[in-house]
Amino acid sequence: MKFHETAERRLLTILHCDVVDSTILVESLDAEEFLDLIESFLNGCQAIVERALGTVAAFTGDGFEAYFGYPVLSDSPAADALTAAIQIRDALVSNEFELSHPIACRIGVATGIVVVGEHESAAMGRNLTAFGPITHLAARLQSVAQTNQVFVDEETCKLSGVANIFNPKGDMNLKGFEKPIRTFEVTSSPSMQSRFDYSAVPMSLYSGRSKTMDLLAAKWRSVEQGYGQVVCICGEAGMGKSRSIMEFQSTLKGQGTLIYRFQCSNQLSSTPLHPWAHNMSLLAKFMPDDTNEEKREKLAVSLEEHYQLSEPHRELCENLLGIADSNEDLGAVSLPEKTIETLQIQLVEALLARSSYAPVLVVIEDIQWMDETSKYGLKTMIEQCADKHVCICLTTRPHIPLFEDADHISHIQLERLSKESVNSIITDLAAAKSIVLPDYLIEKIVQKSEGNPLFVEELTSMITEQPENWADTSLLAASIGRDSIPLTLQASLLSRIDRIKEGKTIAQIAAVVEENVTAELISEVSILSSDAIEAGFEALLSSNIMQRVSRGRAVHYEFRHALLKDAIYASLLKDRRRGIHLLIAQNLKLELEHNSSVRPELIAHHFQQAGDWGNAFGFWVTAGERALRSGASSEAVTLLENAQLHQQDAEQSAVHTHELQRMHMAYGRALNAIQGVAADPYKHFVAAVELGERLADTALTVAALDWQFGIDFNAGRLSDSRSAALKLRTIAHASNSSIAFVAGSQSLGMVNFMQGQFEDAESVFEEVLSKEKNLVSGMHCFPSMSLSYLAWSQYILGNSEAAKRSADRAIASSYNESTHAVATALSNCSYVYQCLGELTKLESCIHELIDHCEQNGERMYLCRGKILRHWIECRREHNPDGLSEINYNIDMLKEAEEEIELTYLYGLLADLQLFFGDFSGAHETLTTALALADKNQELFYYAELERMMALVQSKALGSNIGNDVLHWQCAIDTASEQGAKAWEEKANDAQRNFEQARSG
């Protein structure tokens, strides 16, 4: 077997020993006599090394190099190496080896992470080879030591478990090392250490957590009285967060409590509603051999029983779990009827409603890995549970930002156990094996476990397994792994897996898989036989390294402790890790072909860890599109940012051009949904247009160009948006594409309208609605967008009845298009109804718009809806309090750089300021609006702004605003030039009223 196939990343202590003045001995002794002398010396040293559980890796002429911690198992390699070093030195001083001539030595010892493995053959006298800086450091420390001195580095000193045998020698500049090395001389030998095996251990005593249990019990009593509670248990890994909840849950047996469990995942922290999906799959009891149809049937029954969801919500759950009847091209679909955020609200409400039948315990573990969408649901659940028979128990790691405090929220910080509690656990675990531990061993466990229940359990199990080896012990560990592995446990954890030869390969693969480990998956990604896999899992189970989790006929395996999993993962060479990641990714990729519930982000993760950027890129894009399709825009951004890590490579590969185009489209849409124009989604749509043209794909080019138009239009860049509209019309003419014609014509009509060309706008809208009267496109909000702008054009041109009919048709059509189309139609038609004075329709439309936007995450249209709502309330109630809210929402639109229609919205604000007699405020508002209209050439409301400015100045005669009323004529002239009869009539009427009032 080749070196790379067996080598591992391990924490190793290396001892380097060399004879002092060997040249003098060579000159003074016969060659054969010298050979006998050195051979006796090396044989004696090797015996000492092996007694200290080390291995002589190589002989170096008159010296040698020894490894401690590999391949011979040791839980205290640093202490073992120091013991061997001092014994060798003392043996030479006392001539314990009975050498024919006196010999002195120098010894260096260093500890650190290396790559180490065995050779196929002991070539050149070397049985083992380690690669890493410490191999050189041990040799350099030996070279600077004086006769019969043992020099060690700081890591060896720190991890040996003793403190009174070292004499600091200061920082030394050693050859080959840039920074000075802190060095210590070993003055005496540490006591001999024992090494112990691990074995299955019983559940340890739950001790030292009485306050935790008392608090949970008190909170539950409040829950029983109808006062909901939230308890967040926080602590480091191994502190017993899950155990605390398990113990509390056991006290509720037989009480009819409804229990809902949710598990967050570090791999799926960007997957929207993963904890809910996990919960649904558990409740539905999916089996591995279930077809998607069978899963849908089970899911329907489960959702009806637990959440009473309607059909649209059940369909979204199917999408969420990847078991929907059909999966559309994710790059070419609009948001679903009910977004994932809406679904979550319904799930939360249904879960809380269950508390009317029986008390409910909700357990959510590892919320530090919760996705952004689920965090919103958790916040809602916490806010709404206060008056219900519900207890929410959360677990999290330290230093994770949580939520604001409230009267019904409690926090429990699990601190390290007291010495008394640790003693109790140790005694209880030992008694389960009919063992009474001596006091000095109990004290050693207390010291090394540092009050962490996991460490207490692990160390006690190790010691009680081999009582014949009891002796004082120092435990070495290292900080390696995906998470920081506790120093006091690393060597012990790895020694456990080293002893399980039948299952070691399985454990290594499982550590890479991380979750949902099955015998079938191990078989797919390894060459192990089914018998070997079965025997390996049994060995891992009996050693308490893994545990079996049964879900009906489905069987999964999990590591008993995440720290053990991370330690195993960290021990693998990077090439070995990449190889396993690649096999897993390929297996999942094949599974995805017949099982749509497989998460593309998991496949992407494994391909990325395998170094296969091409496949990783494609699956990150697919994952982002799936999240976007479900309305989870925040998660989509995170997933697509992973794809962007490989953008430069993709740009240099023609193979990935289509995926690159999809990435830009999805990322642009996600950014626009979250932050609007300010997030600069525009550049992504520009790139998508270029890529669509490169691919000669009309559909892709049109979709990207349409979004490019939308960003320009919403930002008020009307000249640029006109260019995009004309380009779409050109593509339509060249390709005879209905979609391109609709997109281009609708866009051109919108620009014409905004620039005050109302007759041209009306003509374009009537043309496209006539030619494509049977086409419905949710992606382009057609025909609702064209109808709503046609309605506004008709009103301004003086045809109010036609405007009402078009507005009504626009809203009705939007329901058959998309959620986004509903938002745009309700918003645009609200403007029309406001201008028409149809206040009843306006109020109904606004109410629906706000509800719709809140449910579907349409933040920009939500701002517009709130402005209109406050306009109505201020006028109806004669109360100016709503003016501040209008200003706030206008500022929100400005911050997002959504400048389109701001002139109209400023007009609403000015109208209210006039209504309340705030002429100075109205003058300032209108000045801002007119300047914005001039900047963007957004002229559709220009005549009205001039009319209101004239009214402001007319009503403020004698004030500091002045008495220039020439704006009347500007308003009338502008309206006349535009053919805007509605605006012209209002301006003429207002001027006549003013003149009459002044003359009277």
Side-chain angles (χ1 to χ4, degrees):
M1 190 174 289
K2 295 182 179 179
F3 178 78
H4 259 76
E5 295 175 3
T6 60
E8 299 179 26
R9 294 174 61 86
R10 299 296 287 263
L11 188 71
L12 197 67
T13 298
I14 296 180
L15 183 154
H16 203 285
C17 177
D18 200 22
V19 173
V20 176
D21 295 332
S22 59
T23 303
I24 296 175
L25 285 173
V26 169
E27 293 177 349
S28 62
L29 298 176
D30 177 75
E32 186 174 345
E33 189 178 8
F34 177 76
L35 176 61
D36 290 340
L37 176 65
I38 294 301
E39 188 175 52
S40 297
F41 162 68
L42 293 176
N43 286 339
C45 291
Q46 183 168 6
I48 290 176
V49 167
E50 290 176 353
R51 284 200 302 271
L53 295 184
T55 300
V56 174
F59 294 105
T60 57
D62 55 2
F64 67 93
E65 185 179 83
Y67 296 166
F68 293 81
Y70 183 93
V72 178
L73 304 177
S74 172
D75 299 308
S76 52
D80 296 339
L82 297 182
T83 297
I86 296 300
Q87 287 185 355
I88 290 170
R89 183 199 65 182
D90 292 349
L92 292 178
V93 171
S94 63
N95 198 19
E96 182 182 322
F97 298 152
E98 298 181 352
L99 304 177
S100 57
H101 289 80
I103 287 180
C105 70
R106 292 188 298 264
I107 298 176
V109 181
T111 302
I113 300 296
V114 299
V115 171
V116 60
E118 299 181 53
H119 283 285
E120 271 186 86
S121 59
M124 297 183 293
R126 180 171 284 278
N127 302 314
L128 299 168
T129 300
F131 295 93
I134 68 158
T135 59
H136 304 290
L137 180 56
R140 294 290 179 262
L141 289 170
Q142 176 270 129
S143 68
V144 296
Q146 300 300 309
T147 300
N148 289 334
Q149 282 186 325
V150 178
F151 275 18
V152 304
D153 68 333
E154 187 175 18
E155 198 70 11
T156 303
C157 175
K158 182 171 59 177
L159 298 178
S160 64
V162 289
N164 59 351
I165 64 171
F166 299 102
N167 179 25
K169 303 301 288 186
D171 293 343
M172 293 188 176
N173 294 310
L174 302 180
K175 183 180 179 181
F177 292 87
E178 292 184 6
K179 296 181 180 179
I181 302 297
R182 185 158 296 175
T183 308
F184 300 83
E185 180 188 1
V186 183
T187 57
S188 61
S189 176
S191 57
M192 277 297 295
Q193 312 300 317
S194 295
R195 294 95 189 157
F196 307 101
D197 192 12
Y198 275 80
S199 158
V201 296
M203 182 70 75
S204 62
L205 178 71
Y206 185 67
S207 177
R209 301 296 189 211
S210 58
K211 290 183 179 179
T212 298
M213 294 302 291
D214 290 344
L215 177 61
L216 287 169
K219 296 303 176 183
W220 187 253
R221 288 193 293 272
S222 296
V223 168
E224 290 176 321
Q225 296 170 15
Y227 301 102
Q229 299 293 318
V230 179
V231 181
C232 184
I233 303 177
C234 178
E236 300 170 351
M239 293 301 290
K241 300 183 292 294
S242 299
R243 176 70 183 279
S244 295
I245 291 180
M246 186 200 75
E247 292 291 337
F248 169 62
Q249 185 177 324
S250 68
T251 67
L252 305 179
K253 286 184 179 178
Q255 298 184 20
T257 303
L258 300 175
I259 299 175
Y260 290 83
R261 300 192 68 87
F262 300 82
Q263 178 65 59
C264 305
S265 166
N266 63 335
Q267 278 195 3
L268 298 173
S269 59
S270 295
T271 297
L273 289 193
H274 172 259
W276 287 95
H278 173 79
N279 171 262
M280 289 178 199
S281 62
L282 289 178
L283 294 175
K285 299 179 181 178
F286 289 162
M287 308 298 290
D289 53 350
D290 284 345
T291 64
N292 278 353
E293 183 178 358
E294 291 170 334
K295 289 180 178 179
R296 288 194 295 272
E297 292 173 357
K298 288 183 176 182
L299 182 65
V301 173
S302 174
L303 292 178
E304 176 62 29
E305 176 184 356
H306 294 279
Y307 295 114
Q308 295 84 45
L309 296 183
S310 61
E311 183 64 29
H313 288 123
R314 289 200 299 271
E315 292 174 356
L316 189 52
C317 289
E318 292 172 1
N319 263 327
L320 189 67
L321 293 167
I323 59 173
D325 187 36
S326 63
N327 284 290
E328 302 173 66
D329 176 6
L330 296 177
V333 296
S334 58
L335 299 182
E337 282 289 326
K338 293 290 184 181
T339 68
I340 206 166
E341 293 176 357
T342 311
L343 168 64
Q344 183 173 218
I345 292 171
Q346 296 300 315
L347 289 168
V348 169
E349 290 177 353
L351 188 152
L352 294 177
R354 298 281 284 168
S355 65
S356 62
Y357 303 98
V360 173
L361 173 64
V362 179
V363 178
I364 309 178
E365 299 215 48
D366 294 319
I367 63 171
Q368 72 272 6
W369 293 323
M370 181 175 281
D371 60 277
E372 290 298 321
T373 303
S374 295
K375 287 179 183 177
Y376 173 78
L378 174 58
K379 181 181 178 182
T380 302
M381 191 187 303
I382 289 172
E383 291 172 349
Q384 297 181 2
C385 77
D387 60 348
K388 296 177 175 60
H389 298 275
V390 175
C391 181
I392 303 173
C393 286
L394 312 170
T395 70
T396 184
R397 297 280 179 87
H399 314 301
I400 304 299
L402 298 174
F403 32 75
E404 295 180 1
D405 287 331
D407 291 341
H408 69 302
I409 299 176
S410 303
H411 298 274
I412 299 176
Q413 178 70 46
L414 291 186
E415 304 295 346
R416 298 188 181 278
L417 297 178
S418 66
K419 183 175 180 180
E420 292 73 17
S421 295
V422 173
N423 273 316
S424 299
I425 295 173
I426 296 169
T427 303
D428 184 72
L429 286 171
K433 297 183 179 180
S434 302
I435 292 173
V436 177
L437 290 174
D439 290 342
Y440 75 92
L441 280 181
I442 294 177
E443 182 61 23
K444 182 58 65 175
I445 298 172
V446 170
Q447 291 177 4
K448 293 298 178 181
S449 65
E450 299 177 342
N452 186 304
L454 167 61
F455 300 170
V456 176
E457 185 178 332
E458 296 290 290
L459 299 176
T460 304
S461 297
M462 178 186 69
I463 289 175
T464 55
E465 184 61 24
Q466 293 187 358
E468 68 276 8
N469 290 332
W470 287 353
D472 194 14
T473 182
S474 296
L475 301 172
L476 174 69
S479 181
I480 58 176
R482 280 171 292 217
D483 293 321
S484 180
I485 307 300
L487 293 177
T488 55
L489 207 58
Q490 174 65 37
S492 301
L493 290 171
L494 288 181
S495 68
R496 290 186 66 178
I497 196 64
D498 284 341
R499 292 180 170 88
I500 312 300
K501 293 185 178 179
E502 298 89 346
K504 184 172 182 178
T505 299
I506 292 175
Q508 290 173 335
I509 296 173
V512 178
V513 177
E514 289 203 63
E515 59 180 39
N516 292 328
V517 179
T518 64
E520 292 76 15
L521 180 57
I522 298 297
S523 177
E524 292 286 345
V525 300
S526 72
I527 59 173
L528 297 174
S529 67
S530 57
D531 289 343
I533 292 173
E534 182 179 356
F537 272 121
E538 287 303 318
L540 292 168
L541 292 170
S542 63
S543 300
N544 219 25
I545 291 172
M546 300 193 80
Q547 58 188 2
R548 184 185 286 117
V549 180
S550 298
R551 299 167 186 163
R553 297 193 305 273
V555 176
H556 295 258
Y557 297 89
E558 297 175 352
F559 282 96
R560 186 168 173 269
H561 298 302
L563 297 175
L564 176 57
K565 174 186 65 180
D566 292 340
I568 295 170
Y569 182 86
S571 72
L572 294 170
L573 291 191
K574 292 179 181 179
D575 283 347
R576 173 78 169 134
R577 291 184 207 169
R578 285 193 286 263
I580 298 174
H581 276 296
L582 182 60
L583 289 170
I584 295 168
Q586 291 170 339
N587 180 263
L588 290 173
K589 183 179 179 181
L590 289 173
E591 187 179 349
L592 182 62
E593 295 177 3
H594 56 82
N595 181 4
S596 55
S597 64
V598 175
R599 293 288 174 188
E601 57 263 43
L602 281 180
I603 305 175
H605 164 77
H606 285 294
F607 271 126
Q608 184 153 312
Q609 295 301 315
D612 185 345
W613 73 264
N615 271 306
F617 177 71
F619 281 104
W620 285 127
V621 172
T622 299
E625 288 172 334
R626 177 182 285 194
L628 184 62
R629 179 186 177 187
S630 298
S633 301
S634 296
E635 288 82 358
V637 167
T638 300
L639 293 165
L640 291 163
E641 283 173 348
N642 285 323
Q644 285 190 301
L645 295 174
H646 310 294
Q647 179 177 333
Q648 188 172 0
D649 291 320
E651 288 172 344
Q652 298 174 2
S653 171
V655 176
H656 297 283
T657 303
H658 185 263
E659 290 168 338
L660 190 63
Q661 201 271 353
R662 288 167 48 208
M663 184 205 75
H664 282 297
M665 279 293 291
Y667 195 58
R669 290 169 59 194
L671 287 176
N672 187 59
I674 295 173
Q675 302 173 42
V677 178
D680 197 15
Y682 182 79
K683 65 182 179 184
H684 294 285
F685 295 124
V686 170
V689 170
E690 294 173 353
L691 291 165
E693 292 173 341
R694 189 189 306 172
L695 290 164
D697 190 315
T698 300
L700 292 178
T701 303
V702 167
L705 195 56
D706 192 28
W707 273 97
Q708 183 180 325
F709 161 81
I711 299 301
D712 276 330
F713 185 79
N714 288 337
R717 299 190 291 261
L718 296 180
S719 295
D720 292 336
S721 60
R722 179 179 291 277
S723 297
L726 293 174
K727 189 171 183 180
L728 283 165
R729 296 257 290 192
T730 301
I731 293 173
H733 179 74
S735 63
N736 198 28
S737 165
S738 294
I739 288 294
F741 176 70
V742 163
S745 298
Q746 183 168 267
S747 300
L748 181 60
M750 291 163 66
V751 175
N752 285 342
F753 173 83
M754 285 296 167
Q755 293 188 326
Q757 301 168 22
F758 303 121
E759 291 180 352
D760 290 343
E762 182 184 44
S763 175
V764 172
F765 289 132
E766 288 177 343
E767 177 191 21
V768 70
L769 288 167
S770 173
K771 287 187 177 180
E772 299 295 345
K773 57 186 174 183
N774 296 321
L775 191 151
V776 176
S777 173
M779 177 69 76
H780 301 90
C781 303
F782 183 83
S784 63
M785 184 76 80
S786 289
L787 284 166
S788 63
Y789 272 91
L790 173 62
W792 211 349
S793 300
Q794 289 168 331
Y795 162 74
I796 296 173
L797 291 170
N799 194 345
S800 295
E801 292 303 316
K804 293 177 188 177
R805 291 193 297 271
S806 296
D808 293 344
R809 286 176 59 200
I811 294 174
S813 176
S814 69
Y815 298 135
N816 299 317
E817 296 169 13
S818 69
T819 55
H820 182 63
V822 173
T824 60
L826 289 171
S827 179
N828 291 339
C829 293
S830 292
Y831 301 163
V832 176
Y833 294 142
Q834 188 269 337
C835 290
L836 285 165
E838 296 280 345
L839 297 185
T840 301
K841 276 193 172 184
L842 171 62
E843 194 156 12
S844 174
C845 197
I846 293 170
H847 179 75
E848 185 179 356
L849 171 63
I850 291 174
D851 284 350
H852 178 84
C853 290
E854 286 178 339
Q855 290 178 4
N856 293 279
E858 293 276 3
R859 299 175 187 174
M860 298 300 103
Y861 286 100
L862 179 61
C863 289
R864 295 177 172 99
K866 288 181 176 180
I867 290 170
L868 283 161
R869 182 181 67 186
H870 289 299
W871 179 83
I872 286 182
E873 291 175 350
C874 285
R875 275 189 160 269
R876 182 176 58 210
E877 299 170 11
H878 292 266
N879 188 335
D881 289 349
L883 289 172
S884 61
E885 287 296 321
I886 292 177
N887 269 309
Y888 172 78
N889 282 283
I890 288 177
D891 288 342
M892 289 283 287
L893 292 169
K894 288 167 61 181
E895 185 177 335
E897 298 181 19
E898 293 264 334
E899 293 193 0
I900 200 67
E901 301 159 5
L902 272 185
T903 55
Y904 166 75
L905 298 173
Y906 273 125
L908 293 181
L909 176 60
D911 175 77
L912 288 176
Q913 290 167 326
L914 277 167
F915 184 74
F916 291 112
D918 180 9
F919 305 126
S920 177
H923 185 272
E924 183 180 348
T925 298
L926 291 168
T927 300
T928 300
L930 287 166
L932 187 65
D934 289 334
K935 177 175 78 77
N936 293 335
Q937 286 300 291
E938 183 183 278
L939 305 178
F940 80 98
Y941 210 59
Y942 201 89
E944 271 290 88
L945 295 175
E946 286 285 2
R947 179 188 67 81
M948 283 190 281
M949 181 63 88
L951 193 60
V952 167
Q953 294 184 329
S954 300
K955 292 192 178 238
L957 287 174
S959 73
N960 59 1
I961 294 175
N963 58 6
D964 181 6
V965 294
L966 294 178
H967 289 276
W968 291 124
Q969 196 59 48
C970 183
I972 295 169
D973 291 346
T974 299
S976 176
E977 289 171 8
Q978 294 175 338
K981 293 181 180 179
W983 302 152
E984 188 175 2
E985 288 177 5
K986 288 179 72 173
N988 281 320
D989 289 344
Q991 186 180 28
R992 280 194 296 271
N993 291 336
F994 165 68
E995 294 294 345
Q996 290 174 4
R998 185 165 62 175
S999 63

